Amino acid sequence: MSAEAEEVAHETVEAAVRAQLAKAFGGVRGIVEAAVPTIAFTLTWITTEELRLSLIISGALAVLLLLVRLVQRSTPQFVINSLIGIAIGAFFASRTGDAKDYFLPGILWNGAYAVGMLISIVTRWPVVGFLIGSVTNDPVGWRKDPGIVKLCTRLTWLLMIPCIVRVAVQLPVYLFGGGDEAVAALGFAKIAMGWPLQVAALTAMVWVLGRGRTPIKPPAPA
C-alpha cells in the first residue's frame, strides 16, 4: 500500500498508530516464534548442562521457524530478529563458557532501548511520533501539533516501561546469581517478561488510542 493510500485509510492519528503497532509486533505467531528458542535453550541447559548442545538446539529451532516462513512465503522479519538475538547471545555465552551470558545481550538491548526512548521524550521527539511520520510520508510533520506530540509522549512512556522492568528484574539475577538457578531464572524471566509485558503495554496503548480522534492532518485554515 502506498503512503497516500495508507494516509487515506487512517484518517486519525490513533488509527495510524494502531495500524503501525500491529505491523511492528507480528501478532500471536511472532510471540511464539520469539519464545520457542529461549524455552529450548533454557530447558536443554537445565536438563543437560551442556552449553554447546543448548545453543545448537536453540539455533536449529530458530532456523527451522525461518524455513517455515520462507516456504509459506510469509514475512520472515520476526524470525530473523529472533535469530540475530540468538546468534549474539550464543557468541557471548560461547566466549565465556557461562550459560547465563546467553541472556546478557537482551538485558543490554532493553537498557539501551529504554535510555533511547527516555532521551526522545526529554527532547520532545518521542519515538512513537515517527510511526505517524511513516504513514503521512512526512517524518517530522507531526511535531507541528502539540497535541500529537503529547499523545506520542504518553505512548512512548508506555512502550518504555517493559524495557525498564526487564532490566530491573534480570540485571540483578545476571550480576549476583550463579549456576543452574540463575540460568533458569533468567530464562523464565525472559519468557515471562518478553511478549506478555509487551502485550500488556500495547493493550494500554490501544486503550489510550481508543479515547481520542486526532486528525492525522490539521484542517486547512479557512
Side-chain angles (χ1 to χ4, degrees):
M1 184 183 292
S2 68
E4 289 183 4
E6 281 196 281
E7 187 176 329
V8 170
H10 311 304
E11 296 180 351
T12 66
V13 169
E14 290 80 9
V17 175
R18 281 197 298 269
Q20 294 301 91
L21 288 174
K23 290 180 185 178
F25 293 99
V28 174
R29 184 171 180 177
I31 294 172
V32 172
E33 288 170 342
V36 165
T38 298
I39 294 171
F41 175 86
T42 304
L43 292 179
T44 305
W45 169 259
I46 292 172
T47 304
T48 67
E49 294 190 13
E50 290 287 341
L51 177 59
R52 183 183 179 87
L53 178 63
S54 302
L55 294 173
I56 289 172
I57 291 177
S58 175
L61 281 173
V63 171
L64 178 61
L65 292 171
L66 176 60
L67 291 175
V68 171
R69 282 278 192 175
L70 294 176
V71 168
Q72 294 178 340
R73 296 185 179 180
S74 59
T75 176
Q77 171 192 344
F78 307 105
V79 182
I80 291 174
N81 292 344
S82 176
L83 194 56
I84 291 172
I86 291 167
I88 296 173
F91 174 78
F92 274 65
S94 61
R95 292 279 292 182
T96 65
D98 191 338
K100 71 179 183 180
D101 284 335
Y102 177 84
F103 301 97
L104 179 59
I107 297 171
L108 296 177
W109 169 252
N110 276 280
Y113 201 29
V115 170
M117 284 191 283
L118 181 60
I119 291 172
S120 80
I121 290 170
V122 171
T123 58
R124 294 186 58 78
W125 284 87
V127 295
V128 174
F130 294 99
L131 295 179
I132 299 168
S134 67
V135 172
T136 62
N137 207 27
D138 183 357
V140 297
W142 53 272
R143 290 200 77 244
K144 298 174 185 176
D145 188 328
I148 294 179
V149 174
K150 186 176 181 180
L151 170 65
C152 292
T153 298
R154 291 175 181 170
L155 296 174
T156 303
W157 274 112
L158 291 173
L159 201 58
M160 181 175 66
I161 288 172
C163 297
I164 296 173
V165 172
R166 289 176 194 131
V167 174
V169 172
Q170 294 176 32
L171 185 59
V173 176
Y174 173 81
L175 291 176
F176 305 114
D180 293 350
E181 293 80 6
V183 175
L186 287 169
F188 176 78
K190 183 171 182 177
I191 295 164
M193 295 184 173
W195 281 104
L197 263 186
Q198 204 66 55
V199 168
L202 291 174
T203 301
M205 293 172 77
V206 169
W207 179 78
V208 170
L209 291 167
R211 299 175 64 197
R213 288 188 58 83
T214 310
I216 204 161
K217 281 190 173 182

